[in-house]
Amino acid sequence: AQSVSQHNHHVILSEAASLELGCNYSYGGTVNLFWYVQYPGQHLQLLLKYFSGDPLVKGIKGFEAEFIKSKFSFNLRKPSVQWSDTAEYFCAVNAGDSNYQLIWGAGTKLIIKP
Amino acid sequence: SQTIHQWPATLVQPVGSPLSLECTVEGTSNPNLYWYRQAAGRGLQLLFYSVGIGQISSEVPQNLSASRPQDRQFILSSKKLLLSDSGFYLCAWSVNNEQFFGPGTRLTVL
């Protein structure tokens, strides 16, 4: 069965630190990849996505993610975090033949200390 | 632009009572619709999805059911709630594999 693994359930960083959240998936075919974010008290919203082309994708608020096909990974990065980045981050994968279903990681709660 | 509505925002129900959560989408036609349950530390669990009116696919066998009586309306129901049904329920719609989420319903079963 397809699965998505997020390596850290909780991450605590200080402002201006660099961030990398890991995401690995298990599916050998074509995939579409997503990172979603849920700020406290707000809807889940799309942070960035990869469908094809340049494996380094840029999203909102200075986030980026790199698709490394050989490692089945789609790690999320930000060079310098802010207090407002405190949120829960979810990685999700759509296999090319899955009829629009997304497979979700368990999420990573990120806390930024001011 | 498209918007998605869910209600109620919070709900407290006794064990054994029925449930009806409603989700409606505006600004799009024939969307794929989804019901998820979000549990802390476990991500999103897909419960049901629908690709059209009257077409429901169930991902997890349980005492919940879903219906799509209209193109942009998706309803999550139960005849008799269990304590284990407590959780945060999210409705979503999608186009081109990107999903858009509603504000969710926090259900507490006592």
Side-chain angles (χ1 to χ4, degrees), chain B residues 9-15 17 19 21 81-89 105-110:
Chain B
T10 59
L11 188 61
V12 180
Q13 292 284 97
V15 169
S17 64
L19 173 74
L21 302 181
L81 283 168
L82 305 172
L83 285 173
S84 57
D85 292 323
S86 293
F88 190 57
Y89 290 84
T105 295
R106 175 74 60 188
L107 172 66
T108 303
V109 182
L110 300 176

Side-chain angles (χ1 to χ4, degrees), chain B residues 4-81:
Chain B
I4 179 168
H5 304 280
Q6 275 188 255
W7 65 91
T10 59
L11 188 61
V12 180
Q13 292 284 97
V15 169
S17 64
L19 173 74
S20 181
L21 302 181
E22 190 161 342
C23 170
T24 59
V25 181
E26 296 176 0
T28 186
S29 296
N30 196 30
N32 291 331
L33 296 173
Y34 307 82
W35 277 111
Y36 286 95
R37 179 163 53 205
Q38 184 178 10
R42 294 170 59 185
L44 275 69
Q45 180 187 35
L46 179 64
L47 301 176
F48 302 94
Y49 72 94
S50 171
V51 299
I53 295 174
Q55 300 177 63
I56 309 295
S57 295
S58 174
E59 291 298 302
V60 182
Q62 55 202 327
N63 70 322
L64 299 172
S65 62
S67 61
R68 186 169 177 175
Q70 301 180 44
D71 181 43
R72 289 170 287 176
Q73 184 185 28
F74 204 25
I75 298 171
L76 182 69
S77 304
S78 174
K79 292 182 179 178
K80 286 187 178 181
L81 283 168

